Amino acid sequence: MRRLFTTLTPIAVGLALSTSGALAQTARTPLPGPATGNTKATAVPRTPWGDPDLQGTYTNSNESGIPMQRPAEFAGKSLDQITPAELARVMQQRHAQTERTAAVIGGTADNDTGAGPSHWYENYNAKNSRAWMVSDPPDGQIPALTPEAVQRAAAVRAARRGGDGYYNGPFDGPEDLTLYVRCITRGLPGSMMPAIYGNSYQIVQGPGWVAIRYEMVHETRLIPLDGRPHASDKLHSYMGDARGHWEGDTLVVETTNFLEKSAYGGASDRLKTVERFKPAGKGVIDWSITFDDGRTWARPWTFGMERARDETQQIFEYACHEGNEGLQGILIAERLKDKEAAQHSHSN
């Protein structure tokens, strides 16, 4: 993976250098208001070559804690029917949960890790933009799995032998842990999702290209905009093969060719995603992603959240793979457990 990062970084830097003048904004396009269609004073800046300018450092920390599916308490309601008072109430509940979780993060109330107060974490006191994430289907629920997907999920559980690939073993080797724990990838849309830290990412543009560089795991997605076809179906990768285009001021990115081991939600390698990066106000992008995989879900479905531009949240180094002492500790502990079990069996 280090070789992959080394290859991608110069490309991203090259794109950044090619866009050093992008802040010299030219023509602007008005943004519609959120619900009324009224024109707002803020407009979408343009790059020197005429594309909508989305460049900058963004964070999704404020979207932490939003449930994926519609909670039972909002049954029968759509996202746009949730009142500000209702959203404020659920945010208070989420903040209380953050306090409880932060106190023992990585452990339990009975086995406290001493993780520190909640204000150490980026997602503390998040100011959510919505009550839940799934916008389609209208009921706010992820569609049912196909029989094939149920079988795939069962095979994964059987291979883990009761473990979860994260906290609980057995761990006979690194491959028994998730790609995220092994510092390989968070996949897509995992890299776009909020976590307790590492929530910054950077959008860089060049003529015919968009690059997205993520703080956590430090991957870079390179998205061509020149209409080229997807790569051969024989080539699959953790983050898939992205192709982008503009629909007005909205960046639309279609991604295929996922490795099944990294496909979101247990999807197959036939998964296709369509992301939309829609400017929604000064420094705000309304991002959504649609999943289309007939081998996994009964129908396509969509969820989304907001991304806020914040140049104070610059990307930090993420030296996870190089310093993954935790993985060594996990495997050493498992071997000690095996040794103790063998000694106990022998003594009996």
Side-chain angles (χ1 to χ4, degrees), residues 10-29:
I11 298 174
V13 170
L15 281 170
L17 291 175
S18 73
T19 58
S20 60
L23 294 181
Q25 301 158 0
T26 56
R28 295 171 177 263
T29 303

PDB file of all heavy atoms in Angstrom, residues 10-29:
ATOM      1  N   PRO A  10       2.275  12.220  -5.888  1.00  0.00           N
ATOM      2  CA  PRO A  10       2.756  13.201  -6.873  1.00  0.00           C
ATOM      3  C   PRO A  10       1.682  13.630  -7.870  1.00  0.00           C
ATOM      4  O   PRO A  10       1.681  14.764  -8.328  1.00  0.00           O
ATOM      5  CB  PRO A  10       3.890  12.434  -7.575  1.00  0.00           C
ATOM      6  CG  PRO A  10       4.335  11.402  -6.609  1.00  0.00           C
ATOM      7  CD  PRO A  10       3.066  10.992  -5.894  1.00  0.00           C
ATOM      8  N   ILE A  11       0.786  12.689  -8.230  1.00  0.00           N
ATOM      9  CA  ILE A  11      -0.284  13.053  -9.164  1.00  0.00           C
ATOM     10  C   ILE A  11      -1.168  14.124  -8.545  1.00  0.00           C
ATOM     11  O   ILE A  11      -1.518  15.117  -9.172  1.00  0.00           O
ATOM     12  CB  ILE A  11      -1.110  11.817  -9.541  1.00  0.00           C
ATOM     13  CG1 ILE A  11      -0.216  10.785 -10.256  1.00  0.00           C
ATOM     14  CG2 ILE A  11      -2.279  12.186 -10.438  1.00  0.00           C
ATOM     15  CD1 ILE A  11      -0.914   9.478 -10.545  1.00  0.00           C
ATOM     16  N   ALA A  12      -1.552  13.897  -7.267  1.00  0.00           N
ATOM     17  CA  ALA A  12      -2.413  14.863  -6.595  1.00  0.00           C
ATOM     18  C   ALA A  12      -1.706  16.213  -6.463  1.00  0.00           C
ATOM     19  O   ALA A  12      -2.311  17.271  -6.639  1.00  0.00           O
ATOM     20  CB  ALA A  12      -2.825  14.341  -5.214  1.00  0.00           C
ATOM     21  N   VAL A  13      -0.395  16.160  -6.147  1.00  0.00           N
ATOM     22  CA  VAL A  13       0.359  17.407  -6.020  1.00  0.00           C
ATOM     23  C   VAL A  13       0.409  18.122  -7.362  1.00  0.00           C
ATOM     24  O   VAL A  13       0.259  19.341  -7.453  1.00  0.00           O
ATOM     25  CB  VAL A  13       1.781  17.120  -5.506  1.00  0.00           C
ATOM     26  CG1 VAL A  13       2.640  18.371  -5.596  1.00  0.00           C
ATOM     27  CG2 VAL A  13       1.725  16.626  -4.070  1.00  0.00           C
ATOM     28  N   GLY A  14       0.584  17.341  -8.443  1.00  0.00           N
ATOM     29  CA  GLY A  14       0.615  17.942  -9.759  1.00  0.00           C
ATOM     30  C   GLY A  14      -0.679  18.640 -10.088  1.00  0.00           C
ATOM     31  O   GLY A  14      -0.687  19.734 -10.674  1.00  0.00           O
ATOM     32  N   LEU A  15      -1.795  18.005  -9.711  1.00  0.00           N
ATOM     33  CA  LEU A  15      -3.092  18.641  -9.938  1.00  0.00           C
ATOM     34  C   LEU A  15      -3.200  19.934  -9.141  1.00  0.00           C
ATOM     35  O   LEU A  15      -3.725  20.932  -9.612  1.00  0.00           O
ATOM     36  CB  LEU A  15      -4.218  17.685  -9.534  1.00  0.00           C
ATOM     37  CG  LEU A  15      -4.562  16.586 -10.552  1.00  0.00           C
ATOM     38  CD1 LEU A  15      -5.506  15.586  -9.918  1.00  0.00           C
ATOM     39  CD2 LEU A  15      -5.193  17.185 -11.788  1.00  0.00           C
ATOM     40  N   ALA A  16      -2.695  19.899  -7.916  1.00  0.00           N
ATOM     41  CA  ALA A  16      -2.768  21.098  -7.079  1.00  0.00           C
ATOM     42  C   ALA A  16      -1.972  22.236  -7.707  1.00  0.00           C
ATOM     43  O   ALA A  16      -2.405  23.390  -7.732  1.00  0.00           O
ATOM     44  CB  ALA A  16      -2.243  20.791  -5.685  1.00  0.00           C
ATOM     45  N   LEU A  17      -0.771  21.898  -8.224  1.00  0.00           N
ATOM     46  CA  LEU A  17       0.041  22.928  -8.847  1.00  0.00           C
ATOM     47  C   LEU A  17      -0.619  23.492 -10.087  1.00  0.00           C
ATOM     48  O   LEU A  17      -0.542  24.694 -10.356  1.00  0.00           O
ATOM     49  CB  LEU A  17       1.410  22.347  -9.202  1.00  0.00           C
ATOM     50  CG  LEU A  17       2.315  21.994  -8.009  1.00  0.00           C
ATOM     51  CD1 LEU A  17       3.584  21.312  -8.499  1.00  0.00           C
ATOM     52  CD2 LEU A  17       2.666  23.248  -7.205  1.00  0.00           C
ATOM     53  N   SER A  18      -1.314  22.606 -10.835  1.00  0.00           N
ATOM     54  CA  SER A  18      -1.949  23.078 -12.068  1.00  0.00           C
ATOM     55  C   SER A  18      -3.122  23.985 -11.802  1.00  0.00           C
ATOM     56  O   SER A  18      -3.589  24.667 -12.698  1.00  0.00           O
ATOM     57  CB  SER A  18      -2.406  21.876 -12.906  1.00  0.00           C
ATOM     58  OG  SER A  18      -3.538  21.274 -12.325  1.00  0.00           O
ATOM     59  N   THR A  19      -3.602  23.999 -10.557  1.00  0.00           N
ATOM     60  CA  THR A  19      -4.775  24.804 -10.234  1.00  0.00           C
ATOM     61  C   THR A  19      -4.444  25.931  -9.277  1.00  0.00           C
ATOM     62  O   THR A  19      -5.307  26.443  -8.589  1.00  0.00           O
ATOM     63  CB  THR A  19      -5.863  23.919  -9.608  1.00  0.00           C
ATOM     64  OG1 THR A  19      -5.328  23.302  -8.437  1.00  0.00           O
ATOM     65  CG2 THR A  19      -6.335  22.857 -10.577  1.00  0.00           C
ATOM     66  N   SER A  20      -3.160  26.307  -9.227  1.00  0.00           N
ATOM     67  CA  SER A  20      -2.767  27.333  -8.261  1.00  0.00           C
ATOM     68  C   SER A  20      -3.491  28.643  -8.487  1.00  0.00           C
ATOM     69  O   SER A  20      -3.617  29.452  -7.568  1.00  0.00           O
ATOM     70  CB  SER A  20      -1.253  27.544  -8.321  1.00  0.00           C
ATOM     71  OG  SER A  20      -0.871  27.955  -9.620  1.00  0.00           O
ATOM     72  N   GLY A  21      -3.971  28.855  -9.710  1.00  0.00           N
ATOM     73  CA  GLY A  21      -4.676  30.094  -9.980  1.00  0.00           C
ATOM     74  C   GLY A  21      -6.174  29.960  -9.924  1.00  0.00           C
ATOM     75  O   GLY A  21      -6.894  30.870 -10.333  1.00  0.00           O
ATOM     76  N   ALA A  22      -6.662  28.828  -9.414  1.00  0.00           N
ATOM     77  CA  ALA A  22      -8.103  28.565  -9.495  1.00  0.00           C
ATOM     78  C   ALA A  22      -8.934  29.512  -8.654  1.00  0.00           C
ATOM     79  O   ALA A  22     -10.129  29.685  -8.907  1.00  0.00           O
ATOM     80  CB  ALA A  22      -8.392  27.122  -9.070  1.00  0.00           C
ATOM     81  N   LEU A  23      -8.303  30.109  -7.653  1.00  0.00           N
ATOM     82  CA  LEU A  23      -9.076  31.021  -6.810  1.00  0.00           C
ATOM     83  C   LEU A  23      -9.318  32.359  -7.492  1.00  0.00           C
ATOM     84  O   LEU A  23     -10.052  33.198  -6.962  1.00  0.00           O
ATOM     85  CB  LEU A  23      -8.379  31.212  -5.465  1.00  0.00           C
ATOM     86  CG  LEU A  23      -8.322  29.942  -4.597  1.00  0.00           C
ATOM     87  CD1 LEU A  23      -7.634  30.251  -3.273  1.00  0.00           C
ATOM     88  CD2 LEU A  23      -9.719  29.399  -4.346  1.00  0.00           C
ATOM     89  N   ALA A  24      -8.685  32.545  -8.648  1.00  0.00           N
ATOM     90  CA  ALA A  24      -9.003  33.745  -9.438  1.00  0.00           C
ATOM     91  C   ALA A  24     -10.316  33.468 -10.153  1.00  0.00           C
ATOM     92  O   ALA A  24     -10.366  33.085 -11.305  1.00  0.00           O
ATOM     93  CB  ALA A  24      -7.878  34.011 -10.441  1.00  0.00           C
ATOM     94  N   GLN A  25     -11.412  33.659  -9.431  1.00  0.00           N
ATOM     95  CA  GLN A  25     -12.721  33.214  -9.887  1.00  0.00           C
ATOM     96  C   GLN A  25     -13.228  34.089 -11.032  1.00  0.00           C
ATOM     97  O   GLN A  25     -13.003  35.282 -11.067  1.00  0.00           O
ATOM     98  CB  GLN A  25     -13.706  33.235  -8.724  1.00  0.00           C
ATOM     99  CG  GLN A  25     -13.242  32.346  -7.579  1.00  0.00           C
ATOM    100  CD  GLN A  25     -13.882  32.736  -6.263  1.00  0.00           C
ATOM    101  OE1 GLN A  25     -14.669  33.664  -6.208  1.00  0.00           O
ATOM    102  NE2 GLN A  25     -13.539  32.038  -5.210  1.00  0.00           N
ATOM    103  N   THR A  26     -13.914  33.408 -11.969  1.00  0.00           N
ATOM    104  CA  THR A  26     -14.490  34.129 -13.091  1.00  0.00           C
ATOM    105  C   THR A  26     -16.001  34.111 -12.966  1.00  0.00           C
ATOM    106  O   THR A  26     -16.540  34.453 -11.929  1.00  0.00           O
ATOM    107  CB  THR A  26     -14.007  33.489 -14.400  1.00  0.00           C
ATOM    108  OG1 THR A  26     -14.343  32.103 -14.392  1.00  0.00           O
ATOM    109  CG2 THR A  26     -12.500  33.604 -14.542  1.00  0.00           C
ATOM    110  N   ALA A  27     -16.713  33.682 -14.027  1.00  0.00           N
ATOM    111  CA  ALA A  27     -18.180  33.736 -14.021  1.00  0.00           C
ATOM    112  C   ALA A  27     -18.770  32.967 -12.854  1.00  0.00           C
ATOM    113  O   ALA A  27     -18.233  31.959 -12.432  1.00  0.00           O
ATOM    114  CB  ALA A  27     -18.705  33.164 -15.338  1.00  0.00           C
ATOM    115  N   ARG A  28     -19.897  33.440 -12.356  1.00  0.00           N
ATOM    116  CA  ARG A  28     -20.559  32.800 -11.223  1.00  0.00           C
ATOM    117  C   ARG A  28     -21.993  32.472 -11.591  1.00  0.00           C
ATOM    118  O   ARG A  28     -22.625  33.156 -12.373  1.00  0.00           O
ATOM    119  CB  ARG A  28     -20.535  33.707  -9.985  1.00  0.00           C
ATOM    120  CG  ARG A  28     -19.126  33.960  -9.449  1.00  0.00           C
ATOM    121  CD  ARG A  28     -19.132  35.018  -8.368  1.00  0.00           C
ATOM    122  NE  ARG A  28     -17.800  35.197  -7.809  1.00  0.00           N
ATOM    123  CZ  ARG A  28     -17.392  34.616  -6.694  1.00  0.00           C
ATOM    124  NH1 ARG A  28     -18.203  33.805  -6.043  1.00  0.00           N
ATOM    125  NH2 ARG A  28     -16.180  34.827  -6.236  1.00  0.00           N
ATOM    126  N   THR A  29     -22.495  31.395 -10.966  1.00  0.00           N
ATOM    127  CA  THR A  29     -23.862  30.955 -11.218  1.00  0.00           C
ATOM    128  C   THR A  29     -24.645  31.022  -9.914  1.00  0.00           C
ATOM    129  O   THR A  29     -24.173  30.537  -8.895  1.00  0.00           O
ATOM    130  CB  THR A  29     -23.875  29.500 -11.739  1.00  0.00           C
ATOM    131  OG1 THR A  29     -23.074  29.451 -12.918  1.00  0.00           O
ATOM    132  CG2 THR A  29     -25.284  29.041 -12.043  1.00  0.00           C
TER     133      THR A  29
END
